[in-house]
Structures are given as C-alpha cells and as structure tokens.
Amino acid sequence: MNRKIYISLAILCVLVLSLQAACFARTPDKLPNVKILATGGTIAGSGATNTTTVGYTAAVTPVDALINNVPELKKIANVSGEQISQIASENMTNEVWLKLAKQVNTLLSQDDVDGIVITHGTDTLEETAYFLNLVVKSEKPVVVVGSMRPPTAMSADGMLNLYRATILAGSREAAGKGVLVMLNDTIHAGRDVTKTITDRVDTFRAPEIGPLGFFTGDKPVFYRAPLRKHTVFTEFDISQLTDLPRVDIVYHYANNTGDVIKALTQAGVKGIVHAGTGNGSIGKVEYPAVEAAQEKGVVIVRSARVGNGIVARNGEANDDKYNFVAGDNLNPQKARILLMLALTKTSNPEDIQRMFWEY
Ligand code: DAS
C-alpha cells in the first residue's frame, strides 16, 4: 500500500513542477514584458555637479526619462513605465503603499505582464519591499531597486541597478521567491534586507542571513530561496483597505521613562514595536506605561535596537504573563510592517505571535 502512495506522490510532484514550469515558459525569442513603477528616490535624483553624491535633490526624474537613460533596457525586455509617486522615500506613506500594492496586483494578474520593477528611494526601500512581500498575490517576480548616487554623478549606480533589476524581473529564476531587492550586483530577500550604511553603494545587507544571490555580468545567480511565507502564501489582503492600523516604534535606552509609550497610547496607536536593548529588554520603568497601553488594547511586539539576532519569547520578559509578542529576528521597522498587517486580521497576541513565527 505504501509503495502505491509513494508512487502517487511522486507523480503529483512531477505534475506540479511541470505546471509551474509551463506557467513561466516563454518562447525563447520573446522578450519578457516588464512594468517599471516609479516612486522617486535618489535613482530619480539630480545633483549640481558630477561629483555631488550628497546634498543632491531626490525624486525629480520621471519614469520615462529613467527608462530612456538606459536604452539597453529595450534589448532585455519590453519595458513600459508608470509614475506611482515622486517622493524621497523618507516621506513614504500608507497611501502610496496601498496604491502601489494594488497596482502591482492588478498588473501581475494580466497575462501580458511577466514581472515588475519598482524604483524607490533607499531610506525606506526595505520597508516597502517587506510590505509588498506580504501583500503581493502573484508568484511573478517583483524587484525593488534604488541607488545611492544620483544619475548625474560619476560612477552613478542607478542605471546598472535598474538594468539588472529589469533582467531579474523578467527572469524565471526570480519567480516564486517573494519580493526581491536588487542593488550593487546583489539580490536580497525583501524580508531580510536592511540599509546598513548611510552613504555607500554597498549599504544593503541581510545581517547574519546573507543575500539570495548575485549578478555575474547580465546573469542572476541564486544560491538559496526564502523559507518564510510570502506573497501568495500569506493571509493578508489589502485589496479593500484604504488605510493601515497605526503602529509606532519606541526606542529603549538608559534612563528611559516610558513617557513615549504613554504619549503613543494617548495618540490612539493600535500597536507598539518596542526596540529594546539587548535581547529585546523592556526597562522596569516602562512597565506602567506598557500595561496602561495594553488596557487600551494596544498590542506590544518586542523587537531589539541591536539589529541582529532573535528576540526569544520569554527571554528578557515574561511574554506569557504580559501577552507580549516576541519579534523573532525582524528589526523594529520590519516588525512594524508585520504588526500593521497582522492588526488588519486580529488583535489577539497569540495569533500575532504565530504570524511572527511564520512570516
Ligand atoms: N532620500 C533618499 C530616499 O529617497 C535618497 C535615496 O534614495 O537614497 O530614500
């Protein structure tokens, strides 16, 4: 009997893999159709001289000019552009996120769109990438790209980043790996990547976990794939949302008072991510404000200001007693994204803890 079950499972696996391959199969001579959605940032910036790499103006070049500045794009894909916003990404908003995510889902539902590139400022690029990683409902490639130097500077990085992001968005290898981030020859998972250096082209890293792969010439090479749930495998649906629950981050430090938590509770937040010291520690002095917040229904996620490592459940705080959610290895700004989306489904800390273990 077991033998028959094993044979049936093997046949099923082969059928599923063949179907997936067929979904992404393209006639060899057909270039992929890639949409470039522009939001702003340095990649669309302009500096006064060709040595200006700080003190330039971000978000001034429209998407069609970005595309025309890289004529080689037309050799590797059928590209067309759409301007979603024109902002420096420190000014990113829920409104832009929802507009972007809905447009990505609409476009990827079309047979004539094979992949999407999103040009974006680097300051909050990691947040947008993780948000999309949780709400995009397609296995087609979505690649977020930016640059650390404006196109007007010597050795500007944006054009090559955009060229490679477009190759990646049109590639079969990038499908089914969640939302990707491509800068500086390196391919990162939207969940793991973070900006680590204020002003250098090698700023995007995934501490301890590392990249998914790299570009060698025009070829993307993957060495691993994300394990946490993403895109079509998540429970989050933003299609009917017009805003997102308010979640703020509180930084902990020596001689903290807890007053910021009090102020946020009064402001009506639905969730607070606590960027704790060490392994996500909350100071004794903060507990009165934390408990008062929870009495108002505020959900507390324990993250860490440290930036690396796992915040262990019931490690530096009694999560079971206080109904805290341990933030796993998500940094505070990423934990905030997941908590915002979690709060569109539930305010039950146990349910939310499950989500932090799964996404
Ligand atoms: N202000 C930064 C931003 O828009 C510039 C950049 O893209 O790096 O994120």
Side-chain angles (χ1 to χ4, degrees):
M1 180 59 178
N2 278 350
R3 184 175 159 71
K4 283 185 180 172
I5 291 172
Y6 290 137
I7 291 168
S8 311
L9 282 173
I11 291 166
L12 182 63
C13 287
V14 169
L15 285 174
V16 167
L17 288 171
S18 309
L19 183 64
Q20 190 174 42
C23 286
F24 295 105
R26 289 189 213 105
T27 51
D29 62 348
K30 179 182 176 298
L31 289 176
N33 298 324
V34 175
K35 291 291 283 187
I36 297 178
L37 304 182
T39 70
T42 292
I43 195 168
S46 179
T49 73
N50 68 355
T51 57
T52 305
T53 57
V54 290
Y56 53 83
T57 306
V60 293
T61 307
V63 63
D64 288 342
L66 290 180
I67 293 171
N68 295 336
N69 288 345
V70 188
E72 293 77 8
L73 289 176
K74 295 180 175 47
K75 297 176 187 169
I76 46 108
N78 301 315
V79 294
S80 59
E82 185 176 331
Q83 197 81 40
I84 297 289
S85 63
Q86 187 68 294
I87 58 174
S89 75
E90 61 268 28
N91 303 318
M92 185 51 70
T93 64
N94 292 343
E95 181 190 1
V96 174
W97 271 354
L98 290 169
K99 177 183 176 186
L100 175 63
K102 289 173 182 175
Q103 184 59 351
V104 166
N105 282 330
T106 299
L107 289 169
L108 291 181
S109 68
Q110 298 168 197
D111 291 340
D112 62 347
V113 176
D114 298 309
I116 287 180
V117 169
I118 296 163
T119 60
H120 197 290
T122 58
D123 287 14
T124 59
L125 190 149
E126 67 198 75
E127 297 177 50
T128 300
Y130 188 42
F131 175 70
L132 293 173
N133 193 57
L134 295 170
V135 302
V136 164
K137 296 304 168 189
S138 170
E139 292 205 85
K140 294 178 182 176
V142 175
V143 183
V144 189
V145 64
S147 75
M148 289 300 288
R149 297 173 183 152
T152 46
M154 281 191 281
S155 300
D157 52 330
M159 284 78 86
L160 187 58
N161 286 348
L162 178 58
Y163 174 71
R164 287 177 164 171
T166 304
I167 292 174
L168 196 57
S171 75
R172 275 189 288 272
E173 298 91 331
K177 291 190 171 68
V179 171
L180 303 173
V181 170
M182 161 62 227
L183 282 94
N184 198 40
D185 308 338
T186 309
I187 304 167
H188 280 288
R191 178 190 185 279
D192 306 329
V193 71
T194 185
K195 187 172 183 178
T196 62
I197 306 169
T198 55
D199 59 358
R200 294 214 307 268
V201 294
D202 56 335
T203 182
F204 281 100
R205 301 188 184 177
E208 297 191 306
I209 296 178
L212 297 181
F214 305 92
F215 260 82
T216 172
D218 283 1
K219 183 172 169 32
V221 180
F222 281 93
Y223 292 94
R224 59 188 192 85
L227 287 179
R228 290 294 174 96
K229 285 183 178 179
H230 55 71
T231 58
V232 295
F233 300 105
T234 82
E235 60 207 276
F236 305 121
D237 174 8
I238 49 90
S239 59
Q240 305 306 314
L241 295 182
T242 55
D243 201 355
L244 293 164
R246 180 173 168 181
V247 174
D248 283 273
I249 300 170
V250 172
Y251 212 79
H252 186 40
Y253 40 84
N255 207 40
N256 187 6
T257 62
D259 286 353
V260 173
I261 293 172
K262 285 181 201 155
L264 289 173
T265 303
Q266 283 159 7
V269 296
K270 301 300 180 198
I272 290 175
V273 173
H274 184 272
T277 51
N279 193 344
S281 302
I282 297 178
K284 283 197 180 76
V285 70
E286 297 181 280
Y287 273 85
V290 164
E291 291 176 278
Q294 289 181 309
E295 278 163 23
K296 290 276 183 78
V298 177
V299 175
I300 307 282
V301 171
R302 287 196 306 117
S303 181
R305 70 182 201 181
V306 169
N308 282 316
I310 297 169
V311 171
R313 184 165 178 82
N314 294 322
E316 287 299 323
N318 188 335
D319 295 314
D320 291 347
K321 177 184 175 189
Y322 287 99
N323 270 323
F324 296 145
V325 175
D328 193 351
N329 75 336
L330 290 175
N331 65 31
Q333 56 269 31
K334 299 271 182 121
R336 173 176 171 271
I337 306 290
L338 180 51
L339 181 52
M340 286 167 74
L341 288 169
L343 288 168
T344 66
K345 304 292 287 184
T346 176
S347 56
N348 179 315
E350 278 183 39
D351 284 351
I352 296 174
Q353 181 67 77
R354 168 192 54 84
M355 295 176 186
F356 272 79
W357 297 148
E358 286 184 359
Y359 297 116

